Amino acid sequence: MSSLVHLNPAQRDAVSTLSGPLLVLAGAGTGKTRVITHRIVELIRRGTAPDRILSVTFTNKAAREMLQRTQVLLGGKRKARPVISTFHSLCVRILREEIELLGYPRQFTILDRGDQDSAARTALREIRVGEQTLKPGDFLAQVSQWKSAGVASEQAADAAENDRQFLAAMAFRRYQQALRARGGVDFDDLLLLTRQLFHEFPDVLQRQSERFSHVQIDEYQDTNGIQFDLVEALVRDHRNLCVVGDDDQSIYGWRGAEVKHILGFHHTFPGATVIRLEDNYRCTDRILELANELVRHNRGRHDKTLVAHKTSPHPVRFNKYDSETDEAEQTVREIHYLVHEMNVSPGDFAILFRTNEQPRIFETELRRRQLPYLVLGTQSFFDRKEIRDLLAYLKVLAHPSDEISLLRIINTPRRGIGDTTVEKLVARAVKSGGKVWDVLGEAESAGEIPHKAAQAIASFRNLMDRFKRRFDSGSDLGESLRQLIDDIDYESEIGRQYQEPAQKLLRMSMVEELVEAVTQYERRAENASLHEFLEETALSGRDQETDKESQVAQDAVKLMTLHSAKGLEFPRVYLVGLEEGILPHKRALEGTDSDIEEERRLAYVGITRACDYLTLSRAARRTKWGKARPTIPSRFLYEMHGRAVEAAGDEASE
């Protein structure tokens, strides 16, 4: 019982229920990670082999944290460890063993977002669709939506509901053919192909499901249809499934998450045990009263009420300002006062907003008052040009047939291989039915390529051959990358791109950070390889949690969308723009009741990020198309406060 001593009664019940389907409804700030890790430990202490336990979560950061906590609780060094991973990492593991059955190479490439953009542009160009008709980003969003719903490229035309979707369906086929031709898969394919394997090859499903006697799923409210199918298939025989989540924090419907999975769990798994974690250790009683009052207006939810373990004399404040400018000025003025007169740390503050347009005016005020700040949820480390360039080098070294990466780096940094030469190389590869990499060695003999360009191609090919041998040996990957950066003189590329010394320094520090990432990977990997590093990078580059974690730790005011704020907490929170059309968003106002319910959950998530102090605000007028227009108070203000906010400084009644 020693591992259960520090748990509250509901947590203890969840940790002690070890067989059959179990739904743990874990409200905000109720210690769900603690329950998941203690439950793994309890399973092991009761005799379950560690490697027979699968625990799935949504981000690599959460998976690492869970594994570390579990190891601390177990104590000592154990050879066998529970399998703790994201859905996508789990699927990669399965596909590495089984994907050849679907006609893909075992060493398939996982495309990053930059690779996908390039493949999308090519597919759209092939069907002669310009960006003014269908942007590559919109095309990829539609493809992702189809794949999340289990719609294959051959079925997309039937699923299309309008002309743009029909064009997307045509390009989808080309896009998918291009991926297969290069032995590549995108992020959504990882789930889709695993489900296809389970459906078409029963022996594969049996082999994979027999590995685990107990399965746990974190953030279950965020599962989409394919993830649900994978989970159901894996536990079909033993039904030892524990899911942990909170339907009140289901805010990702726009990317395929279906709240019905957590709402209908007891129907899918009859006889399921349901345990509610309602003891909140994060927020004060005043904050939780409002959160409970707000979310109670949602019809599609499990009944639960969070109970505060912190009391506070400070009421939640409801502020109304004349304009969005006043809202920003007075919010930042107050933060400035608290930082400079009351010695409050800038890192204690978060300004949360619904849309990406809102932070600009707050940034202006924060700069004017010289307060340090960060906008979270923006560009990922892996989306930076210099990182994408260097990863493209590594991808070609691992997979010379990766033409998207090869064409990115063949003249980066500039080495005298111009666009015309590249076009001739591509044409030659198409004519021969081979790959661009294969025709590089023929450049000199190909009469249409100038001698100087042919020499540059030969030099580039020799460089890549030399480093391929070095990386394939598997020794000191970090030092090999550092030497590659020196040999191609990547610093000159940064000097060409950026004129300001501060920018050059920042970009080179990013390059150094990539070298350090490779070095850290080598330290923790049992059998380090370039292939495995690229696979890990492709997976971790998607959730952006590592970037967010390092940013949150900085002593600066945080500005972020409500979606980016999920999973975080701050002593002082300002939730701004509580107006109809902003929160709830105008798209939800034009949609269904379920769209409004998701917006309400989003507001609930924002409120429950606040530990001690919470201010909710709105502007009476907001400028649109150069003209100040009156706004309508958000319905959520009425629902939790019982009335509209009348003036700046108006507070919740005690």
Side-chain angles (χ1 to χ4, degrees), residues 158-191:
D158 294 332
E161 296 177 356
N162 53 49
D163 289 346
R164 281 179 90 241
Q165 287 189 6
F166 187 73
L167 290 173
M170 291 171 60
F172 187 6
R173 292 177 74 101
R174 303 292 185 103
Y175 170 80
Q176 210 59 28
Q177 286 165 2
L179 264 58
R180 286 201 69 138
R182 63 181 285 198
V185 300
D186 65 21
F187 216 51
D188 294 307
D189 284 333
L190 297 174
L191 305 182

Side-chain angles (χ1 to χ4, degrees), residues 109 115 182 392 395-396 399-407:
T109 304
D115 294 338
R182 63 181 285 198
K395 287 175 187 176
V396 174
H399 306 283
S401 61
D402 185 341
E403 294 194 349
I404 290 174
S405 296
L406 176 59
L407 296 178

Side-chain angles (χ1 to χ4, degrees), residues 18 82 120 161 216 223 283 323 387 447 483 488 504 551 565 612 626:
L18 301 178
E161 296 177 356
Q216 293 188 156
T223 51
C283 311
S323 67
I387 302 306
Q483 189 62 54
I488 64 174
K504 291 179 186 177
Q551 288 177 319
D612 304 305

Side-chain angles (χ1 to χ4, degrees), residues 25 38 68 115 165 176 185 207 241 249 258 286 290 316 334 398-399 406 448 466 481 517 543 545 574 579:
L25 293 168
H38 276 77
Q68 288 164 359
D115 294 338
Q165 287 189 6
Q176 210 59 28
V185 300
R207 193 158 50 241
L241 172 66
Q249 296 186 76
E258 298 180 57
R286 303 295 190 94
L290 286 175
V316 174
E334 180 172 296
H399 306 283
L406 176 59
E448 70 269 24
R466 177 159 51 88
L481 175 58
D543 62 41
E545 289 297 311
Y574 294 83
E579 300 145 34

Side-chain angles (χ1 to χ4, degrees), residues 26-275:
T30 57
K32 72 178 177 68
T33 305
R34 185 180 229 198
V35 165
I36 293 168
T37 52
H38 276 77
R39 193 171 179 276
I40 292 172
V41 171
E42 193 65 14
L43 280 165
I44 295 170
R45 286 186 173 155
R46 298 265 194 102
T48 303
D51 55 3
R52 300 274 291 153
I53 301 167
L54 170 66
S55 194
V56 180
T57 187
F58 274 80
T59 68
N60 291 281
K61 171 183 173 279
R64 284 194 302 271
E65 185 180 303
M66 208 175 290
L67 184 58
Q68 288 164 359
R69 287 202 199 185
T70 303
Q71 288 173 325
V72 169
L73 288 169
L74 286 169
K77 291 207 169 184
R78 293 170 178 255
K79 284 190 177 178
R81 300 193 303 187
V83 178
I84 301 176
S85 77
T86 63
F87 271 106
H88 292 90
S89 296
L90 172 67
C91 289
V92 168
R93 185 178 305 201
I94 294 168
L95 292 173
R96 288 289 179 216
E97 298 172 5
E98 315 279 7
I99 198 171
E100 288 172 311
L101 291 168
L102 298 175
Y104 286 81
R106 185 173 291 228
Q107 288 299 331
F108 58 85
T109 304
I110 304 170
L111 276 71
D112 63 20
R113 181 65 193 208
D115 294 338
Q116 281 186 271
D117 283 339
S118 182
R121 288 177 197 280
T122 302
L124 290 167
R125 202 160 48 236
E126 285 177 356
I127 65 167
R128 293 177 170 78
V129 170
E131 288 195 25
Q132 67 277 10
T133 305
L134 183 60
K135 291 180 180 152
D138 294 339
F139 163 72
L140 288 173
Q142 180 61 64
V143 167
S144 181
Q145 194 175 324
W146 275 328
K147 288 186 177 184
S148 295
V151 176
S153 59
E154 299 79 13
Q155 305 160 326
D158 294 332
E161 296 177 356
N162 53 49
D163 289 346
R164 281 179 90 241
Q165 287 189 6
F166 187 73
L167 290 173
M170 291 171 60
F172 187 6
R173 292 177 74 101
R174 303 292 185 103
Y175 170 80
Q176 210 59 28
Q177 286 165 2
L179 264 58
R180 286 201 69 138
R182 63 181 285 198
V185 300
D186 65 21
F187 216 51
D188 294 307
D189 284 333
L190 297 174
L191 305 182
L192 199 60
L193 294 173
T194 304
R195 190 181 72 164
Q196 186 181 342
L197 276 170
F198 285 1
H199 180 69
E200 294 180 7
F201 300 93
D203 55 322
V204 170
L205 173 57
Q206 184 177 353
R207 193 158 50 241
Q208 296 298 332
S209 62
E210 284 179 350
R211 289 186 170 185
F212 307 110
S213 61
H214 291 80
V215 176
Q216 293 188 156
I217 311 293
D218 186 17
E219 303 284 9
Y220 189 65
Q221 77 279 353
D222 293 338
T223 51
N224 62 28
I226 293 182
Q227 289 161 339
F228 171 81
D229 290 346
L230 293 173
V231 171
E232 190 278 327
L234 285 172
V235 304
R236 198 174 291 154
D237 291 338
H238 57 71
R239 297 179 82 240
N240 290 328
L241 172 66
C242 168
V243 302
V244 183
D246 181 10
D247 49 294
D248 289 335
Q249 296 186 76
S250 180
I251 59 173
Y252 296 116
W254 51 277
R255 69 182 190 199
E258 298 180 57
V259 71
K260 69 181 183 182
H261 297 146
I262 194 167
L263 294 177
F265 185 80
H266 55 292
H267 295 304
T268 310
F269 300 97
T273 301
V274 179
I275 295 172

Side-chain angles (χ1 to χ4, degrees), residues 45 61 85 95 110 160 198 293 389 421 440 498 524 602:
R45 286 186 173 155
K61 171 183 173 279
S85 77
L95 292 173
I110 304 170
F198 285 1
E293 190 61 38
D389 285 348
T421 298
L440 290 184
Y498 307 100
R524 67 173 182 274
L602 199 50

Side-chain angles (χ1 to χ4, degrees), residues 501-516:
Q503 272 293 327
K504 291 179 186 177
L505 199 61
L506 173 65
R507 300 292 166 169
M508 279 308 293
S509 73
M510 292 295 107
V511 169
E512 185 58 38
E513 200 170 317
L514 179 63
V515 175
E516 181 59 25

